[in-house]
Amino acid sequence: MTYSLAELVIVACAEAWRDVGEVMATGIGPLPRLGAGLAKLSFAPAIQTSDGEGLYTTAPVPLGKRLAQPEYEGWAPYDRIFSALWSGRRHAMVGPVQIDRYGQANISVIGDHRRPKSAMLGARGFPGNSICHPNSFFVPNHSKRTFVEGEVDFVCMAGYNPARYVNGKPPAGLDLRLIVTNLAVLDFGGPEHQVRIVSLHPGVTAGQVEENTGFPLARPAGDIPTTPAPTPEQLALIAALDPHGMRAKVFKDDPPGDPGAAA
């Protein structure tokens, strides 16, 4: 069975919503969104998905031009969205431009905020989101430009940096979970919330991940697992959620998920 790196990543992203209960699932970008849809259709039926416009849907809405009318379950105006968000009943997977060893994330500027090299989205909802509900991350290009050596250039999302808090204690609502990249799956399960390698994608070594990370990484005890390959059932669900093949455009040349098997 062959599968693409994008499909491997979708399956890894889906795990962010395992055992989360009835929460609003927000996947930012094609692969996290497909991951949320896959989770709802396979092992997390209670998570809430929307059409991305203003309505909750019974089933995840496929990417791209719609081939069928979704079945709607209710209205999702800002009031209902933020009521869920502020109460902690949301789990988002977001795409930071920079992230540091503490999980502090940046989507605002590169360089000095007063004279930045480049300006991007601005902090937007990152500050409040980070202390109100769980968050995970998707990074399509695992490199030291994203996983920076020191602090991120502009802290948009709160992290576990004790220097940022009174008495060194982060907010009670701070809950950072998975990081899925093109090389590996990571989490914050190391000592003092240190970023830890959870699994390596097929053909990737721990050394490669560490060489492309600007800070030390914790490792699990024993051998590091390989990121699980998609099952035929999962691949069928992914194809149904992405009928126009948008997943193939995320990584350059749509590489295989297991380079050894492809060869």
Side-chain angles (χ1 to χ4, degrees), residues 17 20-27 36 46-50 56 76-77 80-86 88-93 133-134:
W17 290 281
V20 296
E22 187 178 354
V23 301
M24 180 172 59
T26 304
I47 63 174
Q48 297 174 323
T49 56
S50 78
Y56 287 119
R80 294 187 70 181
I81 295 294
F82 281 101
S83 292
L85 187 159
W86 290 327
R89 297 181 63 186
R90 183 202 197 201
H91 187 159
M93 178 171 280
H133 62 73

Side-chain angles (χ1 to χ4, degrees), residues 10-102:
I10 291 165
V11 172
C13 288
E15 290 299 315
W17 290 281
R18 187 178 289 277
D19 300 325
V20 296
E22 187 178 354
V23 301
M24 180 172 59
T26 304
I28 304 298
L31 302 191
R33 179 175 162 182
L34 289 168
L38 178 63
K40 184 173 179 66
L41 293 178
S42 51
F43 56 77
I47 63 174
Q48 297 174 323
T49 56
S50 78
D51 63 352
E53 297 173 8
L55 294 165
Y56 287 119
T57 58
T58 300
V61 177
L63 270 58
K65 184 178 179 180
R66 293 178 187 172
L67 304 178
Q69 179 71 21
E71 181 178 79
Y72 297 115
E73 289 192 339
W75 192 30
Y78 277 123
D79 179 66
R80 294 187 70 181
I81 295 294
F82 281 101
S83 292
L85 187 159
W86 290 327
S87 68
R89 297 181 63 186
R90 183 202 197 201
H91 187 159
M93 178 171 280
V94 299
V97 176
Q98 293 179 325
I99 187 169
D100 60 31
R101 70 188 67 205
Y102 302 108

Side-chain angles (χ1 to χ4, degrees), residues 11-259:
V11 172
C13 288
E15 290 299 315
W17 290 281
R18 187 178 289 277
D19 300 325
V20 296
E22 187 178 354
V23 301
M24 180 172 59
T26 304
I28 304 298
L31 302 191
R33 179 175 162 182
L34 289 168
L38 178 63
K40 184 173 179 66
L41 293 178
S42 51
F43 56 77
I47 63 174
Q48 297 174 323
T49 56
S50 78
D51 63 352
E53 297 173 8
L55 294 165
Y56 287 119
T57 58
T58 300
V61 177
L63 270 58
K65 184 178 179 180
R66 293 178 187 172
L67 304 178
Q69 179 71 21
E71 181 178 79
Y72 297 115
E73 289 192 339
W75 192 30
Y78 277 123
D79 179 66
R80 294 187 70 181
I81 295 294
F82 281 101
S83 292
L85 187 159
W86 290 327
S87 68
R89 297 181 63 186
R90 183 202 197 201
H91 187 159
M93 178 171 280
V94 299
V97 176
Q98 293 179 325
I99 187 169
D100 60 31
R101 70 188 67 205
Y102 302 108
Q104 297 175 145
N106 174 25
I107 57 169
S108 183
V109 297
I110 299 297
D112 190 312
H113 190 264
R114 293 167 294 183
R115 296 182 63 86
K117 296 177 182 177
S118 60
M120 297 167 291
L121 296 174
R124 298 180 72 86
F126 265 35
N129 292 348
S130 60
I131 61 173
C132 288
H133 62 73
N135 289 274
S136 293
F137 305 92
F138 168 61
V139 175
N141 184 16
H142 192 134
S143 71
K144 290 182 178 180
R145 292 183 65 181
T146 301
F147 291 91
V148 296
E149 181 177 0
E151 264 197 333
V152 295
D153 290 347
F154 189 73
V155 178
C156 300
M157 174 173 280
Y160 296 108
N161 183 359
R164 288 280 180 176
Y165 304 112
V166 176
N167 299 323
K169 295 181 179 180
L174 184 64
D175 185 0
L176 305 180
R177 297 187 180 179
L178 286 184
I179 309 172
V180 181
T181 82
N182 60 316
L183 298 181
V185 178
L186 312 136
D187 67 8
F188 295 86
E192 298 180 338
H193 302 288
Q194 183 178 352
V195 179
R196 175 182 66 174
I197 301 174
V198 173
S199 68
L200 301 167
H201 297 344
V204 177
T205 67
Q208 285 176 283
V209 177
E210 291 168 339
E211 288 169 8
N212 286 282
T213 306
F215 49 84
L217 294 170
R219 296 193 185 191
D223 295 333
I224 301 175
T226 300
T227 306
T231 65
E233 293 77 15
Q234 288 173 323
L235 290 174
L237 289 172
I238 291 169
L241 289 168
D242 184 22
H244 305 292
M246 295 178 70
R247 64 192 181 280
K249 301 176 182 179
V250 174
F251 300 120
K252 184 179 179 180
D253 299 325
D254 192 26
D258 186 345

